[in-house]
Amino acid sequence: MSAFAREVQKKFDSAKESKDLISYETTEFILTLAPALGQKANVKKETKDSEEKSSPFLNPNPALVVKELDNHIMLLNKFAVCPNHLLIATKEFKKQTEPILPDELYESFKTIKDFGSSQPTIAFYNCGPNSGASQGHKHIQVIPLNHDHEFQPPLKQLFDEIYDRQIGQIYAINKLPFVHVIIGLDNNILRAAKDQESLTSYLAQMFFGILDAMFQQLRENSLPLDTSYNFLMTQDFMMLVPRSKETATIEHNGRSYELSINSMGFSGSILCKSDEELKALEAQDNLMEILTQVGVPWSPDAEKYDSARQHAETAELI
């Protein structure tokens, strides 16, 4: 465990013991029981003034503050769905509908690296009203997934299966039935970036490349360019997924359940608020259909994507 990871763990344990945060053990990676979600305030429909007034990030509980950054503050998530769940929030109030900025890419990636190479870590950003964001104050989340170095999220496995993958090229994964873009990061460039400016420049170049590719896909699927989206980043890749709506509906034993899906859903982790929701999820035949509900199904009229998806075991260059 890195020195940074030990520092975060110590802060987390202290805040948990003092009850300054609420933590729940997860059942497994794919389906996660997180009762804390039911206690979160819903601020999506508030005005900007009321959002700013109610933001917990402007005067944060000191027990949750990990460190001060240049333009951001790093906090433990009060409603932790897993240990050491971090938030990187803007010091001044900015809206969660604003796009991610280069300095935020830098702080997020640096936090991933600070957790250490032996611990898989993912950063994500829920952008827009349909992205699954539960707090209106702009923040990026960073989650160390597991202390076991052999553990990886399912998305990482799919990324690794891309045939003849080339660094810097933008791909779609054929096994995913919804619109998305993913790009591999060059570890040689990342290691060679000795200062903040060069690392920020590289990360921004990669991000704006896939952002342009996502906009192209939105045009291909006749969607507005201001569509909400989810952003995910590991030390190996970046991914963007445009969103059509926030919640998916599932049926079980004659009941309907509405599930709010955020970025983590697209990494393979679906959160639920109760045992009933968890059982309903476990009874579903196809969890990918849930993600397709809230994402954007591939357009049958987008000929080049149809061609790419015919190759079931490869991912084609967009």
Side-chain angles (χ1 to χ4, degrees), residues 254-282:
R255 288 187 58 187
S256 294
Y257 296 87
E258 295 286 330
L259 301 174
S260 177
I261 306 294
N262 69 6
S263 296
M264 285 301 289
F266 295 95
S267 77
S269 180
I270 299 177
L271 306 179
C272 50
K273 300 186 292 292
S274 67
D275 286 322
E276 290 77 14
E277 283 189 1
L278 179 60
K279 291 175 182 176
L281 274 171
E282 291 173 335

Side-chain angles (χ1 to χ4, degrees), residues 121-134:
T121 304
I122 192 166
F124 62 92
Y125 181 59
N126 306 313
C127 185
N130 290 326
S131 66
S134 60

Side-chain angles (χ1 to χ4, degrees), residues 82-135:
C82 65
N84 306 330
H85 183 170
L86 295 177
L87 308 176
I88 300 175
T90 56
K91 287 183 177 178
E92 296 182 0
F93 181 82
K94 296 184 183 298
K95 299 194 74 172
Q96 192 73 9
T97 53
E98 296 184 16
I100 195 167
L101 298 177
D103 67 325
E104 293 163 343
L105 292 168
Y106 169 79
E107 297 293 3
S108 302
F109 191 82
K110 184 176 184 300
T111 303
I112 289 173
K113 297 296 287 185
D114 285 346
F115 269 111
S117 58
S118 64
Q119 180 160 24
T121 304
I122 192 166
F124 62 92
Y125 181 59
N126 306 313
C127 185
N130 290 326
S131 66
S134 60
Q135 170 57 243

Side-chain angles (χ1 to χ4, degrees), residues 66-205:
V66 175
K67 65 164 77 170
E68 296 269 351
L69 305 173
D70 290 340
N71 300 308
H72 299 78
I73 187 166
M74 183 182 293
L75 306 158
L76 291 167
N77 189 349
K78 179 178 179 178
F79 300 98
V81 298
C82 65
N84 306 330
H85 183 170
L86 295 177
L87 308 176
I88 300 175
T90 56
K91 287 183 177 178
E92 296 182 0
F93 181 82
K94 296 184 183 298
K95 299 194 74 172
Q96 192 73 9
T97 53
E98 296 184 16
I100 195 167
L101 298 177
D103 67 325
E104 293 163 343
L105 292 168
Y106 169 79
E107 297 293 3
S108 302
F109 191 82
K110 184 176 184 300
T111 303
I112 289 173
K113 297 296 287 185
D114 285 346
F115 269 111
S117 58
S118 64
Q119 180 160 24
T121 304
I122 192 166
F124 62 92
Y125 181 59
N126 306 313
C127 185
N130 290 326
S131 66
S134 60
Q135 170 57 243
H137 186 142
K138 189 179 186 184
H139 64 288
I140 299 162
Q141 304 186 53
V142 182
I143 295 182
L145 298 175
N146 194 294
H147 291 293
D148 180 357
H149 71 280
E150 296 180 354
F151 178 87
Q152 292 286 353
L155 180 60
K156 176 63 164 59
Q157 180 180 344
L158 292 176
F159 175 72
D160 288 341
E161 290 176 358
I162 296 176
Y163 176 74
D164 197 25
R165 188 176 73 243
Q166 302 295 317
I167 294 296
Q169 292 183 346
I170 300 172
Y171 295 90
I173 298 173
N174 297 301
K175 292 181 180 179
L176 299 180
F178 46 83
V179 173
H180 64 282
V181 285
I182 190 167
I183 189 169
L185 300 177
D186 191 327
N187 287 324
N188 291 326
I189 292 178
L190 294 171
R191 283 192 295 267
K194 301 301 184 182
D195 55 68
Q196 179 173 342
E197 182 179 359
S198 56
L199 178 56
T200 301
S201 176
Y202 174 70
L203 294 172
Q205 179 185 355

